[in-house]
Amino acid sequence: MTATVPTVSLQEISKRFGPTLALDAVSLDLLPGEVHVLLGENGAGKSTLVKTLLGTYHPDSGQILIRGREVAHHNPGVARDEGINVVLQDFSLAPTLSVLDNLFLGRQPLRRRLIDTAAMREAAERTRELVGGTFSLNAEVGALPRSEQQLVEIMKAVMGKPGALILDEPTAALSEKEAERLFGIVDRLVHQGWAILYITHRMAEIRRLGTRVTVMRDGRRTGTHLVSAVTDDELVREMIGRDITAVYPHKADPRHLGPTVLRLTDVSSANGKVRDVSLHVRSGEIVGIAGLVGAGKGDVARVLSGLEHTTSGEVEVLEYRTSRPQIRKMLAAGVGFMPEDRKRESLALQLTTADNINLEASSSKAHGRFGFLHRGQLREAAISMIRRLDVRPADPQQEVGLLSGGNQQKVVLGRALTRPRKVFVVAEPTAGVDVGSRQQIYEELRRLCDDGVGVLVVSSDLEEIVGLSDRVYVMHSGAVCAELVGDEISDEAVIAAAFGHGADEPTARVQEAV
Amino acid sequence: MTQLQEPVQQDAVPAPETTAGRGRRYWFLKAFATAGPLPFLLLLLVVGVTLVNPVFLSSSNLSSVATQSVYLLLVSLAQMLILVTGGFDLSVGANVALTSVTSALVMQSVYGGVDEYSGIALIWGLVVALLVGLVVGLVNGIGVAVLKVNAFIVTLASMGIFTGVTMLVSGGSEVSGLPRVFTHEVGSGRVFGVVPVPLLMILPVIFLLYVLLRRMKYGKSLFAIGSNELAARVAGTRVGTNLVMAYVLGGVVTAYAGWLLTARVSSGQPQLGAELAMQSITAAIIGGASLLGGRGSVGGTVLGVLFIVGLTNGMNLMRMDSNQQNIALGLALVLSVLVSRARDRARREVAVMELDQGATPPAAGPVGSLPEQRNPLAPPS
C-alpha cells in the first residue's frame, strides 16, 4: 500500500459567498489510516470545507486531488464513486424503507435485471458486523432508535471500497456507551485504510481518536498538528484567537443590579436532560448558560417555555410561582422568549414581517377590541420596530421566509419586544446570523438590561457566552457544574467546566455524577 | 376521535400476552408489524357474514365478488403506485370515463356491425385506451414532477379537464354498438364456468407490478422518493423522470381498467368511474399505503380491495342500505389509519426487541428469523 498518497487532498481552496470569504486558501490532506480532526467554531468554514470535499460546492480556486490525481470537475457523483462519504447529524435515510433497502438505495446489485437480494444481504451482513450492529436488516429504519440509525448511515457510507469518511460531530446525540461503540468502529475503519475526517468540539475525543488535527478560524486554516504534539490550550487559543470585544456591548455594573426576576429551584425535566438545576437572573444582567451539545442547556429554555415538562422543582418569575411552567402564564408573568429553532418554533414563514412582529401583540388586548384588530396601530408598531432593529429590507409586507437568517432573528426579537417584559429567555440568538446582525441583537439585549430586564441566554457559541454574559452557568450532563462571574468568565474557564473538569483532562466525560 | 382511538390502543398493547413471556409478545407484534391487521379482518369478515348468510361463500357469489373486485383492484394498484411516491391521483375516475368513451368510439367505428372486424376492433380499442391513459399520466406526471405543483391540485385540475374532454367527445351520451366478443367475453365471460375472464386479464398486470415494486431498481426508487426525496436524490435517483414514469404507468393501468369496465357495462359511458378516486384511495390506504408516501404493496392493496368489496357484498347480503354502507366504509377508513399508527408503534417495538436479541451471543438464544451472526472478520492487514 502506498501509504503516503493522501486519499483526498485539498490544495489552496478558496470559496466566496457574496461578500464573505468562506474558505481562504485552505489546504488539507486526508491520509489513509488516519483520523484527522477538524476543529473550529461555528462559522469557521468547516461545513463549507466538507461540502467542497463532497463536491456539493465548487471552489472558486484551488485544486482537489483524489488518490494523487487531480479532479477537474469534482461533483457528488465523483465523490460517491471514489468512496468519499459523509455522516451528518441529520441522516439522509428513507425512514419507511428497510435497513437493506436503504443501504443499497440506487445501487442495488442486479441479476438477470432483477434486484439480487441475496447478494445485498450478504454484503450488508458483512458491513453490519464491521460496525457491530445488532438490528435486523429487514427492520424499517424509521423504527430504529437514533443511535442505530446512525450506524445504518455509517454502514451506507462504508459499503464500498475504502475512501474518505467524514463524521460530523457523531457523538453529539450519543450516550457514553454508544459513543464508545462508535470509537471502536472508527478504529476498525482506520485499520481498513479509511481516511476519517472527524469534526468535534470535544477535546477528549481528539485525544482518544485523533492522529492529526487541523484548526480553522474565519475561513482560514490556522494550523495542522500531530495530536500528540499539541496541548488543548494551544488548540483552543488557535480556534478562538481574535479580538472579540468589538462585537459585544459593555457589561453590566454589578453594583447596579436589581432584584431577582427569575429563579429556578431544583428543577428537573421529564426527559431527564435537566437535573436539579437551580439558577437565578437579576434585573439588569445577562446570564449565560453554556455547555456542550446534549448538556441540557437548551432544555432549560424549553422547560421555561413549557415545551418540556418538569418533574420536580419550582420556577419563580417575579410574583408568579409554579412547579409546572405553561407558556401562556409565563408570557402573562412578563417573560419573553426567543426559541432555539426560529423557523419551526417562532416564525410563520409565509406571513409578512409586520404580521410576524405583531403575532403576539394581536393576541393581546392592546391593539383591538372585541376580537377586532386596530390595523393602523399594528402597522405603525411594526414599522417602528423594523426601524428600531434595522430589519432589512425595511418592508413590513416582505414575506419573512425570504429574509436572511439575521433579519429573521431580528423579527423574532422584535415580536418579543412588542410587549413590556421583565425577563427574556433567549436560546441560540445568533445561530446562522451574520456578524452585523449579531452586533445589533447583542446591543438590543444590553439595552433591555439597562432598562431593568433580566436576560437568560442559552448558547452553544462560546465566544458569545464569554463576550455577552455578566454571569455564566456552565452545565454538564444536565446539571449546573459551575458558576462564573465577571472576570472569571473566560474561554478556558467555560471550556474547562463544560468538559466537567479541566480542559487538559482527557477523561473529563467520566465525571458524570456532579 | 377519542372514542375511535380506544380499540387501537388495545390492539397495540396486547395485555394477555404478558404472562406468556416475551417470546409470545414478540411474535404477536412481529406478525402485526409485518402483515398488518387485514388477513385477520378478512377472516373475521368471511366468518361473520357467512354465519349470517351462508350464500356468501357460494361459488357464484365468490365469483361475482371477484369480478367486482377486478376493476377497483386495477385502479387501486395504480393509486397505490402513486401513493408510494408521496402523491395521489384524483383523476383516475376521469381517466376511466375518457378511455371508456374514446375506446368505445374507436371500437364502434372499426367494428361497424361486421363480426369479422371484432378482433381488430378490440385491439384498436385497447391501444387507444392505453394511449389515453398514457396522455393522462403524462399530464399528471409533468404537472407534479416538472412543474412541481402539488399532486392534489394537479390531479384535481386534470380530473376537471379530462371530464370535460369526455363530455365533448361523447356529447354526454353512451357509445353503444360494440363487438359481442368484447361485451360478452371480455366483459362477463367465464372460463370453466366459474373463473371470470376479466380476472384472468388482470393477473399479468398484478404480477408485473409486484415484480416492479419488489424486485426492480425502479420500484425501489419510487419508495425512496416517497419516503425521503432528498435521500433518493443523493443516492443518484433521477427523481423527476421516475415520477413522470410512475404517473404514466398509473395512468395506463387505470386506462386498462377503463377498457375492461367498458366491456363490463357493454358501452362507452361518460359517467363511468366517478366513485373510483375515493374508493381506490380508501382501498390502498386500508391496504397499508400511506398518504405521506414511502409505503404500499401489491399484496396489501389486493387485500384492501377484497376487504372493501367483500364488506360491501356482505352488507348487501345482510340487507344493509347504502346509507349504512357508506357509514361503515367511512369508519373502516378512519379505523385503518388509526391501526396503521399502532402498526408503526409495533414496528418500533419489534425493532428494539430484535436489537436486544441480536446483542446476545449467537449461540445463546433461538434467534429464529434473524440472520445469523458470522465469524468476526479476520484482523485487517
Side-chain angles (χ1 to χ4, degrees), chain A residues 90-158:
Chain A
D90 303 318
F91 308 136
S92 60
L93 297 168
T96 61
L97 303 194
S98 69
V99 172
L100 199 61
D101 282 337
N102 263 287
L103 291 177
F104 288 91
L105 210 61
R107 52 176 178 183
Q108 295 93 341
L110 299 182
R111 209 177 60 188
R112 276 182 275 143
R113 310 202 62 195
L114 296 183
I115 291 174
D116 187 349
T117 319
M120 272 165 58
R121 194 166 287 277
E122 205 192 341
E125 275 174 29
R126 232 176 299 132
T127 317
R128 183 178 59 181
E129 216 158 275
L130 177 68
V131 305
T134 56
F135 41 76
S136 158
L137 293 173
N138 296 325
E140 271 187 22
V141 161
L144 293 171
R146 240 189 99 81
S147 59
E148 306 305 306
Q149 291 185 12
Q150 187 185 41
L151 283 199
V152 176
E153 187 79 49
I154 292 176
M155 280 172 73
K156 204 170 135 187
V158 302

Coordinates of all heavy atoms in Angstrom, one line a residue, chain A residues 90-158:
Chain A
D90 N -28.0 15.2 10.7 CA -29.3 14.8 10.2 C -29.1 13.7 9.1 O -28.4 14.0 8.1 CB -30.0 16.0 9.5 CG -30.1 17.2 10.4 OD1 -30.5 16.9 11.6 OD2 -29.8 18.3 10.0
F91 N -29.6 12.6 9.4 CA -29.4 11.5 8.5 C -30.1 11.6 7.2 O -31.3 12.1 7.2 CB -29.7 10.2 9.2 CG -29.0 10.0 10.5 CD1 -29.8 9.6 11.6 CD2 -27.7 10.4 10.7 CE1 -29.2 9.5 12.9 CE2 -27.1 10.4 11.9 CZ -27.9 9.9 13.0
S92 N -29.6 11.1 6.1 CA -30.3 11.1 4.9 C -30.8 9.7 4.6 O -30.3 9.0 3.6 CB -29.4 11.6 3.7 OG -28.3 10.8 3.6
L93 N -31.6 9.2 5.4 CA -32.2 7.8 5.3 C -33.6 7.9 4.9 O -34.3 8.9 5.2 CB -32.0 7.1 6.6 CG -30.6 6.8 7.1 CD1 -30.6 6.3 8.5 CD2 -29.9 5.8 6.2
A94 N -34.1 6.9 4.2 CA -35.6 6.8 3.9 C -36.2 6.1 5.0 O -36.1 4.8 5.1 CB -35.8 6.2 2.6
P95 N -37.0 6.7 5.9 CA -37.5 6.1 7.1 C -38.4 4.9 6.9 O -38.5 4.0 7.8 CB -38.2 7.2 7.9 CG -38.5 8.2 6.8 CD -37.4 8.1 5.8
T96 N -39.2 4.9 5.8 CA -40.1 3.8 5.7 C -39.5 2.6 4.9 O -40.2 1.6 4.8 CB -41.4 4.2 4.9 OG1 -41.0 4.6 3.6 CG2 -42.1 5.3 5.6
L97 N -38.3 2.7 4.6 CA -37.6 1.6 3.9 C -36.8 0.7 4.9 O -36.4 1.2 5.9 CB -36.7 2.0 2.8 CG -37.3 2.9 1.7 CD1 -36.3 3.0 0.5 CD2 -38.6 2.4 1.2
S98 N -36.6 -0.5 4.6 CA -35.8 -1.4 5.4 C -34.3 -1.0 5.4 O -33.9 -0.2 4.6 CB -35.9 -2.8 5.0 OG -35.2 -3.0 3.8
V99 N -33.6 -1.5 6.4 CA -32.2 -1.2 6.5 C -31.5 -1.6 5.2 O -30.8 -0.8 4.6 CB -31.5 -2.0 7.7 CG1 -30.0 -1.9 7.6 CG2 -32.1 -1.5 9.0
L100 N -31.9 -2.8 4.7 CA -31.3 -3.3 3.5 C -31.5 -2.4 2.3 O -30.6 -2.1 1.6 CB -31.9 -4.7 3.2 CG -31.1 -5.6 2.3 CD1 -29.7 -5.9 2.9 CD2 -31.8 -6.9 2.1
D101 N -32.8 -2.0 2.1 CA -33.1 -1.1 1.0 C -32.4 0.2 1.1 O -32.0 0.8 0.1 CB -34.6 -0.9 0.9 CG -35.3 -2.1 0.3 OD1 -34.7 -2.8 -0.4 OD2 -36.5 -2.3 0.6
N102 N -32.2 0.7 2.3 CA -31.5 2.0 2.5 C -30.0 1.9 2.1 O -29.5 2.8 1.5 CB -31.6 2.5 3.9 CG -32.8 3.5 4.1 OD1 -32.6 4.6 3.7 ND2 -33.8 3.0 4.7
L103 N -29.4 0.7 2.5 CA -28.0 0.6 2.2 C -27.7 0.6 0.7 O -26.7 1.1 0.3 CB -27.5 -0.7 2.8 CG -27.5 -0.8 4.4 CD1 -27.0 -2.2 4.8 CD2 -26.5 0.2 4.9
F104 N -28.7 0.0 0.0 CA -28.4 -0.1 -1.5 C -29.2 0.8 -2.3 O -29.4 0.6 -3.5 CB -28.6 -1.6 -1.9 CG -27.6 -2.5 -1.3 CD1 -27.8 -3.1 -0.1 CD2 -26.4 -2.8 -2.0 CE1 -26.8 -4.0 0.4 CE2 -25.5 -3.6 -1.5 CZ -25.7 -4.2 -0.3
L105 N -29.7 1.9 -1.7 CA -30.5 2.8 -2.5 C -29.8 3.3 -3.7 O -28.7 3.8 -3.7 CB -30.8 4.0 -1.6 CG -32.1 4.8 -1.8 CD1 -33.2 3.9 -1.5 CD2 -32.1 6.0 -0.8
G106 N -30.4 3.0 -4.9 CA -29.8 3.5 -6.1 C -28.6 2.7 -6.6 O -28.0 3.1 -7.6
R107 N -28.2 1.7 -5.9 CA -27.0 0.9 -6.4 C -27.2 -0.6 -6.1 O -26.3 -1.3 -5.7 CB -25.8 1.4 -5.7 CG -25.9 1.5 -4.2 CD -24.6 2.0 -3.5 NE -24.8 2.1 -2.1 CZ -23.9 2.5 -1.2 NH1 -22.8 2.8 -1.6 NH2 -24.2 2.5 0.1
Q108 N -28.4 -1.1 -6.2 CA -28.7 -2.5 -6.0 C -28.0 -3.4 -7.0 O -28.0 -3.1 -8.2 CB -30.2 -2.7 -6.1 CG -31.1 -2.1 -5.0 CD -31.6 -0.7 -5.5 OE1 -31.1 -0.1 -6.4 NE2 -32.6 -0.2 -4.8
P109 N -27.4 -4.4 -6.5 CA -26.8 -5.4 -7.5 C -27.9 -6.1 -8.2 O -28.9 -6.4 -7.6 CB -26.0 -6.3 -6.6 CG -26.7 -6.3 -5.2 CD -27.2 -4.9 -5.1
L110 N -27.7 -6.3 -9.5 CA -28.7 -7.0 -10.3 C -28.3 -8.4 -10.8 O -27.1 -8.6 -11.0 CB -29.1 -6.1 -11.5 CG -29.6 -4.7 -11.3 CD1 -29.9 -4.0 -12.6 CD2 -30.8 -4.7 -10.4
R111 N -29.3 -9.2 -10.9 CA -29.1 -10.5 -11.5 C -30.2 -10.7 -12.5 O -31.4 -10.7 -12.0 CB -29.0 -11.6 -10.5 CG -28.1 -12.8 -11.0 CD -27.9 -13.8 -9.9 NE -29.2 -14.4 -9.6 CZ -29.4 -15.2 -8.6 NH1 -28.4 -15.6 -7.8 NH2 -30.6 -15.7 -8.4
R112 N -30.0 -10.9 -13.7 CA -31.0 -11.0 -14.7 C -32.0 -9.9 -14.6 O -33.2 -10.0 -14.5 CB -31.7 -12.4 -14.6 CG -30.9 -13.4 -15.4 CD -31.6 -14.8 -15.4 NE -31.3 -15.5 -14.2 CZ -32.2 -16.3 -13.5 NH1 -33.4 -16.4 -14.0 NH2 -31.8 -17.0 -12.5
R113 N -31.5 -8.7 -14.5 CA -32.2 -7.4 -14.5 C -33.1 -7.2 -13.2 O -33.7 -6.2 -13.1 CB -33.1 -7.3 -15.7 CG -32.3 -7.6 -17.0 CD -32.9 -6.9 -18.2 NE -33.0 -5.5 -18.1 CZ -33.7 -4.7 -18.8 NH1 -34.5 -5.3 -19.7 NH2 -33.7 -3.4 -18.7
L114 N -33.1 -8.2 -12.3 CA -33.8 -8.1 -11.1 C -32.9 -7.9 -10.0 O -31.7 -8.3 -10.0 CB -34.7 -9.3 -10.8 CG -35.8 -9.6 -11.9 CD1 -36.6 -10.8 -11.5 CD2 -36.7 -8.3 -12.0
I115 N -33.4 -7.3 -8.9 CA -32.5 -7.0 -7.7 C -32.1 -8.3 -7.1 O -32.9 -9.2 -6.8 CB -33.3 -6.1 -6.7 CG1 -33.4 -4.7 -7.3 CG2 -32.5 -6.0 -5.4 CD1 -34.3 -3.8 -6.5
D116 N -30.8 -8.4 -6.9 CA -30.2 -9.6 -6.3 C -30.2 -9.5 -4.7 O -29.2 -9.1 -4.1 CB -28.8 -9.9 -6.8 CG -28.3 -11.2 -6.4 OD1 -28.9 -11.9 -5.5 OD2 -27.2 -11.6 -6.9
T117 N -31.3 -9.9 -4.1 CA -31.5 -9.6 -2.7 C -30.5 -10.4 -1.9 O -29.9 -10.0 -0.9 CB -32.9 -10.0 -2.2 OG1 -33.8 -9.6 -3.2 CG2 -33.2 -9.4 -0.9
A118 N -30.2 -11.6 -2.4 CA -29.2 -12.5 -1.6 C -27.8 -11.8 -1.6 O -27.2 -11.8 -0.5 CB -29.1 -13.8 -2.3
A119 N -27.4 -11.3 -2.7 CA -26.1 -10.6 -2.7 C -26.1 -9.4 -1.8 O -25.1 -9.1 -1.1 CB -25.7 -10.2 -4.1
M120 N -27.2 -8.7 -1.8 CA -27.4 -7.5 -1.0 C -27.2 -7.9 0.5 O -26.5 -7.3 1.2 CB -28.7 -6.8 -1.2 CG -28.8 -5.8 -2.3 SD -30.4 -5.4 -2.8 CE -31.2 -4.8 -1.3
R121 N -27.9 -8.9 0.8 CA -28.0 -9.4 2.2 C -26.6 -9.8 2.7 O -26.1 -9.4 3.8 CB -29.0 -10.5 2.3 CG -29.3 -10.9 3.7 CD -30.5 -11.8 3.8 NE -31.8 -11.1 3.4 CZ -32.5 -10.4 4.3 NH1 -32.1 -10.3 5.5 NH2 -33.6 -9.7 3.9
E122 N -25.9 -10.5 1.8 CA -24.5 -11.0 2.2 C -23.6 -9.8 2.5 O -22.9 -9.7 3.5 CB -24.0 -11.8 1.1 CG -23.0 -12.8 1.6 CD -22.3 -13.5 0.4 OE1 -22.8 -13.4 -0.7 OE2 -21.2 -14.0 0.6
A123 N -23.6 -8.8 1.5 CA -22.7 -7.7 1.7 C -23.1 -6.9 2.9 O -22.3 -6.4 3.7 CB -22.8 -6.8 0.4
A124 N -24.4 -6.7 3.1 CA -24.9 -6.0 4.2 C -24.5 -6.6 5.6 O -24.2 -5.9 6.5 CB -26.4 -5.8 4.2
E125 N -24.6 -7.9 5.6 CA -24.3 -8.6 6.9 C -22.8 -8.4 7.2 O -22.4 -8.2 8.4 CB -24.6 -10.1 6.8 CG -26.0 -10.4 7.1 CD -26.4 -11.8 6.9 OE1 -25.5 -12.7 7.0 OE2 -27.6 -12.1 6.6
R126 N -22.0 -8.4 6.2 CA -20.6 -8.2 6.4 C -20.3 -6.8 7.0 O -19.6 -6.6 8.0 CB -19.8 -8.3 5.1 CG -18.6 -9.3 5.2 CD -17.9 -9.5 3.9 NE -18.8 -10.1 2.9 CZ -19.0 -9.6 1.7 NH1 -18.3 -8.5 1.3 NH2 -19.8 -10.2 0.8
T127 N -21.0 -5.8 6.4 CA -20.8 -4.4 6.9 C -21.4 -4.3 8.3 O -20.9 -3.6 9.1 CB -21.4 -3.5 5.9 OG1 -21.1 -3.8 4.6 CG2 -20.9 -2.1 6.2
R128 N -22.5 -4.9 8.5 CA -23.2 -4.8 9.8 C -22.2 -5.3 10.9 O -22.1 -4.8 12.0 CB -24.5 -5.6 9.8 CG -25.2 -5.4 11.2 CD -26.5 -6.2 11.2 NE -26.3 -7.6 11.0 CZ -27.3 -8.5 10.9 NH1 -28.6 -8.1 11.0 NH2 -27.1 -9.7 10.7
E129 N -21.5 -6.4 10.6 CA -20.5 -6.9 11.5 C -19.4 -5.9 11.8 O -19.0 -5.7 12.9 CB -20.0 -8.2 10.9 CG -19.7 -9.2 12.0 CD -19.7 -10.5 11.2 OE1 -20.7 -11.1 11.0 OE2 -18.6 -10.9 10.9
L130 N -19.0 -5.3 10.7 CA -17.9 -4.3 10.8 C -18.2 -3.2 11.8 O -17.4 -2.8 12.6 CB -17.6 -3.7 9.4 CG -16.5 -2.6 9.4 CD1 -15.2 -3.2 9.7 CD2 -16.5 -2.0 8.0
V131 N -19.5 -2.7 11.8 CA -19.9 -1.7 12.7 C -20.5 -2.2 13.9 O -20.9 -1.4 14.8 CB -20.9 -0.7 12.0 CG1 -20.3 -0.2 10.7 CG2 -22.2 -1.3 11.7
G132 N -20.6 -3.5 14.0 CA -21.2 -4.1 15.3 C -22.6 -3.8 15.5 O -23.1 -3.7 16.6
G133 N -23.4 -3.7 14.4 CA -24.9 -3.5 14.6 C -25.6 -4.8 14.9 O -25.1 -5.9 14.6
T134 N -26.7 -4.7 15.7 CA -27.4 -5.9 16.0 C -28.8 -5.9 15.5 O -29.6 -6.8 15.8 CB -27.5 -6.0 17.6 OG1 -28.1 -4.9 18.1 CG2 -26.1 -6.3 18.2
F135 N -29.2 -4.9 14.7 CA -30.5 -4.8 14.2 C -30.8 -5.7 13.1 O -29.8 -6.2 12.4 CB -30.8 -3.3 13.8 CG -29.7 -2.7 13.0 CD1 -29.4 -3.0 11.7 CD2 -28.9 -1.8 13.7 CE1 -28.3 -2.5 11.1 CE2 -27.8 -1.2 13.0 CZ -27.6 -1.5 11.7
S136 N -32.0 -6.0 12.9 CA -32.4 -6.9 11.7 C -32.3 -6.0 10.4 O -32.6 -4.9 10.4 CB -33.8 -7.4 11.9 OG -34.4 -7.7 10.6
L137 N -31.8 -6.7 9.4 CA -31.7 -5.9 8.1 C -33.0 -5.6 7.5 O -33.2 -4.8 6.6 CB -30.8 -6.7 7.1 CG -29.4 -6.9 7.5 CD1 -28.7 -7.9 6.5 CD2 -28.7 -5.6 7.5
N138 N -34.1 -6.3 8.0 CA -35.4 -6.1 7.5 C -36.1 -5.0 8.3 O -37.2 -4.6 7.9 CB -36.3 -7.3 7.6 CG -35.7 -8.4 6.7 OD1 -35.2 -8.2 5.6 ND2 -35.8 -9.7 7.2
A139 N -35.6 -4.6 9.4 CA -36.2 -3.5 10.2 C -36.4 -2.3 9.4 O -35.5 -1.9 8.6 CB -35.4 -3.3 11.5
E140 N -37.5 -1.6 9.6 CA -37.6 -0.3 8.9 C -36.7 0.7 9.7 O -36.7 0.7 10.9 CB -39.1 0.2 9.0 CG -39.9 -0.3 7.9 CD -41.3 0.4 7.9 OE1 -41.5 1.4 8.5 OE2 -42.2 -0.2 7.2
V141 N -36.0 1.5 8.9 CA -35.0 2.4 9.5 C -35.7 3.4 10.5 O -35.2 3.7 11.6 CB -34.3 3.2 8.4 CG1 -33.6 4.4 9.0 CG2 -33.2 2.3 7.8
G142 N -36.9 3.8 10.1 CA -37.6 4.8 11.0 C -38.0 4.2 12.3 O -38.3 4.9 13.3
A143 N -38.0 2.9 12.4 CA -38.4 2.2 13.6 C -37.3 2.0 14.6 O -37.5 1.7 15.7 CB -39.1 0.8 13.3
L144 N -36.1 2.3 14.1 CA -34.9 2.1 14.9 C -34.6 3.3 15.8 O -34.9 4.4 15.4 CB -33.7 1.8 14.1 CG -33.7 0.5 13.3 CD1 -32.5 0.5 12.3 CD2 -33.6 -0.7 14.2
P145 N -34.0 3.1 16.9 CA -33.5 4.3 17.7 C -32.5 5.1 16.9 O -31.8 4.6 16.1 CB -32.9 3.7 19.0 CG -33.3 2.3 19.0 CD -33.7 1.9 17.6
R146 N -32.3 6.3 17.3 CA -31.4 7.2 16.6 C -30.0 6.7 16.5 O -29.3 6.8 15.5 CB -31.4 8.6 17.3 CG -31.8 9.7 16.4 CD -31.6 11.0 17.1 NE -30.4 11.6 16.6 CZ -30.3 12.3 15.4 NH1 -31.3 12.5 14.7 NH2 -29.1 12.9 15.1
S147 N -29.5 6.2 17.6 CA -28.1 5.7 17.6 C -27.9 4.6 16.6 O -26.9 4.5 15.9 CB -27.7 5.2 19.0 OG -28.6 4.1 19.4
E148 N -29.0 3.8 16.4 CA -28.9 2.7 15.4 C -29.0 3.2 14.0 O -28.4 2.8 13.1 CB -29.9 1.6 15.6 CG -29.9 1.1 17.1 CD -28.6 0.5 17.5 OE1 -28.0 -0.3 16.8 OE2 -28.1 1.0 18.5
Q149 N -29.8 4.3 13.8 CA -29.9 4.9 12.5 C -28.6 5.5 12.1 O -28.2 5.4 10.9 CB -31.0 6.0 12.6 CG -32.4 5.5 12.7 CD -33.4 6.7 12.6 OE1 -33.1 7.8 12.3 NE2 -34.6 6.4 13.0
Q150 N -27.8 6.0 13.1 CA -26.5 6.5 12.8 C -25.6 5.3 12.2 O -24.9 5.5 11.3 CB -25.9 7.1 14.0 CG -24.6 7.8 13.7 CD -23.9 8.3 14.9 OE1 -23.9 7.6 16.0 NE2 -23.3 9.5 14.9
L151 N -25.8 4.2 12.9 CA -25.0 3.0 12.4 C -25.3 2.7 11.0 O -24.5 2.3 10.1 CB -25.2 1.8 13.3 CG -24.5 1.7 14.6 CD1 -24.5 0.3 15.1 CD2 -23.1 2.2 14.6
V152 N -26.6 2.7 10.7 CA -27.1 2.4 9.3 C -26.4 3.4 8.3 O -25.9 3.1 7.3 CB -28.6 2.5 9.2 CG1 -29.0 2.2 7.7 CG2 -29.3 1.4 10.1
E153 N -26.4 4.7 8.7 CA -25.8 5.7 7.9 C -24.4 5.4 7.7 O -23.8 5.6 6.6 CB -26.1 7.1 8.6 CG -25.7 8.3 7.8 CD -26.7 8.7 6.7 OE1 -27.9 8.7 7.0 OE2 -26.2 8.8 5.6
I154 N -23.7 5.0 8.8 CA -22.3 4.7 8.6 C -22.1 3.5 7.7 O -21.2 3.5 6.8 CB -21.6 4.4 10.0 CG1 -21.6 5.7 10.8 CG2 -20.2 3.9 9.9 CD1 -21.1 5.6 12.2
M155 N -22.9 2.5 7.9 CA -22.9 1.3 7.0 C -23.0 1.7 5.6 O -22.3 1.2 4.7 CB -24.0 0.3 7.4 CG -23.7 -0.5 8.6 SD -25.2 -1.5 9.0 CE -25.2 -2.7 7.7
K156 N -24.0 2.6 5.3 CA -24.2 3.1 4.0 C -22.9 3.7 3.4 O -22.6 3.5 2.2 CB -25.3 4.1 4.1 CG -26.1 4.3 2.8 CD -27.3 5.2 3.1 CE -27.5 6.2 2.0 NZ -28.6 7.2 2.4
A157 N -22.2 4.4 4.3 CA -21.1 5.2 3.8 C -19.9 4.2 3.6 O -19.0 4.5 2.7 CB -20.7 6.2 4.8
V158 N -19.8 3.1 4.3 CA -18.6 2.3 4.1 C -18.8 1.0 3.4 O -18.0 0.1 3.5 CB -18.0 2.0 5.5 CG1 -17.6 3.3 6.3 CG2 -18.9 1.1 6.4

